[in-house]
mmCIF file of all heavy atoms in Angstrom:
data_model
loop_
_atom_site.group_PDB
_atom_site.id
_atom_site.type_symbol
_atom_site.label_atom_id
_atom_site.label_comp_id
_atom_site.label_asym_id
_atom_site.label_seq_id
_atom_site.Cartn_x
_atom_site.Cartn_y
_atom_site.Cartn_z
ATOM 1 N N VAL A 118 138.954 25.832 -94.990
ATOM 2 C CA VAL A 118 138.576 27.196 -95.354
ATOM 3 C C VAL A 118 137.059 27.361 -95.267
ATOM 4 O O VAL A 118 136.561 28.366 -94.743
ATOM 5 C CB VAL A 118 139.073 27.545 -96.773
ATOM 6 C CG1 VAL A 118 138.400 28.817 -97.289
ATOM 7 C CG2 VAL A 118 140.586 27.723 -96.778
ATOM 8 N N LEU A 119 136.317 26.381 -95.755
ATOM 9 C CA LEU A 119 134.860 26.455 -95.699
ATOM 10 C C LEU A 119 134.352 26.458 -94.256
ATOM 11 O O LEU A 119 133.408 27.181 -93.924
ATOM 12 C CB LEU A 119 134.239 25.287 -96.470
ATOM 13 C CG LEU A 119 134.523 25.248 -97.975
ATOM 14 C CD1 LEU A 119 133.834 24.039 -98.607
ATOM 15 C CD2 LEU A 119 134.058 26.529 -98.661
ATOM 16 N N GLN A 120 134.993 25.637 -93.410
ATOM 17 C CA GLN A 120 134.585 25.622 -92.006
ATOM 18 C C GLN A 120 134.783 26.990 -91.359
ATOM 19 O O GLN A 120 133.896 27.478 -90.634
ATOM 20 C CB GLN A 120 135.384 24.567 -91.231
ATOM 21 C CG GLN A 120 134.963 23.133 -91.498
ATOM 22 C CD GLN A 120 135.782 22.136 -90.693
ATOM 23 O OE1 GLN A 120 136.958 21.915 -90.980
ATOM 24 N NE2 GLN A 120 135.170 21.560 -89.676
ATOM 25 N N ARG A 121 135.925 27.607 -91.605
ATOM 26 C CA ARG A 121 136.201 28.913 -91.009
ATOM 27 C C ARG A 121 135.285 29.987 -91.589
ATOM 28 O O ARG A 121 134.758 30.835 -90.851
ATOM 29 C CB ARG A 121 137.668 29.290 -91.227
ATOM 30 C CG ARG A 121 138.074 30.593 -90.551
ATOM 31 C CD ARG A 121 137.839 30.544 -89.063
ATOM 32 N NE ARG A 121 138.162 31.825 -88.422
ATOM 33 C CZ ARG A 121 137.537 32.279 -87.358
ATOM 34 N NH1 ARG A 121 136.558 31.584 -86.790
ATOM 35 N NH2 ARG A 121 137.895 33.443 -86.823
ATOM 36 N N ALA A 122 135.058 29.941 -92.895
ATOM 37 C CA ALA A 122 134.163 30.916 -93.523
ATOM 38 C C ALA A 122 132.748 30.772 -92.987
ATOM 39 O O ALA A 122 132.049 31.774 -92.753
ATOM 40 C CB ALA A 122 134.178 30.745 -95.041
ATOM 41 N N ALA A 123 132.315 29.543 -92.769
ATOM 42 C CA ALA A 123 130.971 29.302 -92.226
ATOM 43 C C ALA A 123 130.858 29.842 -90.803
ATOM 44 O O ALA A 123 129.849 30.477 -90.439
ATOM 45 C CB ALA A 123 130.658 27.811 -92.258
ATOM 46 N N GLU A 124 131.884 29.604 -89.984
ATOM 47 C CA GLU A 124 131.873 30.112 -88.609
ATOM 48 C C GLU A 124 131.811 31.638 -88.589
ATOM 49 O O GLU A 124 131.028 32.233 -87.824
ATOM 50 C CB GLU A 124 133.127 29.641 -87.871
ATOM 51 C CG GLU A 124 133.147 28.147 -87.569
ATOM 52 C CD GLU A 124 134.515 27.673 -87.083
ATOM 53 O OE1 GLU A 124 135.441 28.522 -87.004
ATOM 54 O OE2 GLU A 124 134.653 26.469 -86.804
ATOM 55 N N LEU A 125 132.620 32.273 -89.422
ATOM 56 C CA LEU A 125 132.639 33.736 -89.475
ATOM 57 C C LEU A 125 131.304 34.293 -89.949
ATOM 58 O O LEU A 125 130.824 35.315 -89.442
ATOM 59 C CB LEU A 125 133.758 34.206 -90.411
ATOM 60 C CG LEU A 125 135.186 34.007 -89.908
ATOM 61 C CD1 LEU A 125 136.181 34.236 -91.046
ATOM 62 C CD2 LEU A 125 135.488 34.936 -88.733
ATOM 63 N N THR A 126 130.702 33.619 -90.920
ATOM 64 C CA THR A 126 129.414 34.060 -91.444
ATOM 65 C C THR A 126 128.330 33.941 -90.379
ATOM 66 O O THR A 126 127.498 34.853 -90.205
ATOM 67 C CB THR A 126 129.034 33.237 -92.690
ATOM 68 O OG1 THR A 126 130.058 33.373 -93.676
ATOM 69 C CG2 THR A 126 127.713 33.706 -93.278
ATOM 70 N N ALA A 127 128.322 32.827 -89.654
ATOM 71 C CA ALA A 127 127.338 32.634 -88.587
ATOM 72 C C ALA A 127 127.507 33.672 -87.475
ATOM 73 O O ALA A 127 126.524 34.147 -86.902
ATOM 74 C CB ALA A 127 127.455 31.221 -88.024
ATOM 75 N N GLU A 128 128.752 34.032 -87.186
ATOM 76 C CA GLU A 128 129.018 35.046 -86.165
ATOM 77 C C GLU A 128 128.597 36.440 -86.639
ATOM 78 O O GLU A 128 128.189 37.292 -85.831
ATOM 79 C CB GLU A 128 130.505 35.059 -85.803
ATOM 80 C CG GLU A 128 130.973 33.814 -85.056
ATOM 81 C CD GLU A 128 132.493 33.717 -84.968
ATOM 82 O OE1 GLU A 128 133.164 34.665 -85.441
ATOM 83 O OE2 GLU A 128 133.001 32.712 -84.450
ATOM 84 N N ALA A 129 128.701 36.678 -87.946
ATOM 85 C CA ALA A 129 128.429 38.016 -88.493
ATOM 86 C C ALA A 129 126.943 38.317 -88.631
ATOM 87 O O ALA A 129 126.522 39.472 -88.472
ATOM 88 C CB ALA A 129 129.115 38.167 -89.849
#
Side-chain angles (χ1 to χ4, degrees):
V118 166
L119 297 180
Q120 285 181 288
R121 184 58 183 148
E124 290 169 359
L125 289 168
T126 302
E128 291 168 3

